[in-house]
């Protein structure tokens, strides 16, 4: 089991390094890019709802991360006129344009992964990793993004 743990860690670190290098020219971190992608796929979202879909954040409130993206004019906060406590997040036009470039960076990463697993059973590997990840909050966030039901505690 120790080797499995370190293999997962090694792959995560190398994957993050490759993705970060692709995102650097865009002025984004992998965490910021994830927010743009999730908002693109699920907007409008509340801060809490966004937090429940992110893998990069361990808290349900990614407010600092969103603050940076709002400051870069990539994400817009909209306050409900009837209930000022209710705030939704959406991509700005600039955020939508940058999100398309994030997809290109991710596609590069996906190509690297496809080369690494060529000839292997991807479905069996995904099943194993999902079974393991679904036991943790980050894996449950991915399951929510896929639309899978989350088992109750």
């Amino acid at each position: 089991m120790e080797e499995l743990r370190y293999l997962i860690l090694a792959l995560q670190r190398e994957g993050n390094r490759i993705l970060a290098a692709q995102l650097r020219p865009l002025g984004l971190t992998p965490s910021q890019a994830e927010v743009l992608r999730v908002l693109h796929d699920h907007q409008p979202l509340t801060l809490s709802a966004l937090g429940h879909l992110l893998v990069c954040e361990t808290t349900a409130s990614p407010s600092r991360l969103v603050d940076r993206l709002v400051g870069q004019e990539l994400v817009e906060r909209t306050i409900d006129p009837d209930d000022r406590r209710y705030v939704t997040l959406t991509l700005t036009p600039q955020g939508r344009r940058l999100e398309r470039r994030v997809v290109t960076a991710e596609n590069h990463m996906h190509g690297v992964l496809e080369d690494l697993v060529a000839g292997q059973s991807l479905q069996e590997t995904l099943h194993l990793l999902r079974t393991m990840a679904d036991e943790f909050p980050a894996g449950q966030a991915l399951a929510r993004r896929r639309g899978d039901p989350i088992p109750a505690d």
Side-chain angles (χ1 to χ4, degrees):
M1 281 294 124
E2 180 179 21
E3 182 180 13
L4 176 62
R5 179 173 61 102
Y6 280 113
L7 287 169
I8 292 169
L9 178 61
L11 290 170
Q12 185 275 331
R13 285 190 176 169
E14 288 305 311
N16 205 48
R17 183 187 61 75
I18 293 166
L19 183 59
Q22 292 294 308
L23 294 171
R24 197 167 293 116
L26 306 180
L28 293 173
T29 66
S31 296
Q32 292 168 330
E34 183 183 3
V35 170
L36 296 183
R37 294 288 290 126
V38 169
L39 281 175
H40 174 267
D41 292 344
H42 301 279
Q43 68 184 351
L45 289 172
T46 63
L47 189 62
S48 176
L50 174 66
H52 288 292
L53 296 174
L54 294 177
V55 174
C56 66
E57 288 289 313
T58 57
T59 66
S61 180
S63 56
R64 288 185 186 153
L65 185 56
V66 170
D67 287 346
R68 287 186 201 105
L69 294 170
V70 168
Q72 293 174 287
E73 299 181 356
L74 301 174
V75 171
E76 180 178 24
R77 284 189 183 104
T78 304
I79 298 171
D80 186 312
D82 297 327
D83 185 350
R84 297 191 53 76
R85 296 170 297 169
Y86 189 73
V87 177
T88 57
L89 305 171
T90 57
L91 293 177
T92 65
Q94 182 180 343
R96 286 191 299 275
R97 285 190 299 274
L98 196 55
E99 184 273 339
R100 295 311 322 146
R101 295 179 66 195
V102 168
V103 169
T104 301
E106 287 181 341
N107 286 340
H108 172 80
M109 178 68 212
H110 297 162
V112 170
L113 291 174
E114 286 174 11
D115 290 345
L116 291 172
V117 298
Q120 305 296 316
S121 173
L122 182 57
Q123 290 309 313
E124 287 178 23
T125 302
L126 287 174
H127 177 75
L128 171 65
L129 293 174
R130 283 179 183 148
T131 299
M132 294 170 64
D134 285 352
E135 296 299 316
F136 300 100
Q140 292 167 8
L142 283 175
R144 280 191 282 279
R145 282 163 49 176
R146 286 191 310 266
D148 294 353
I150 305 300
D153 290 336

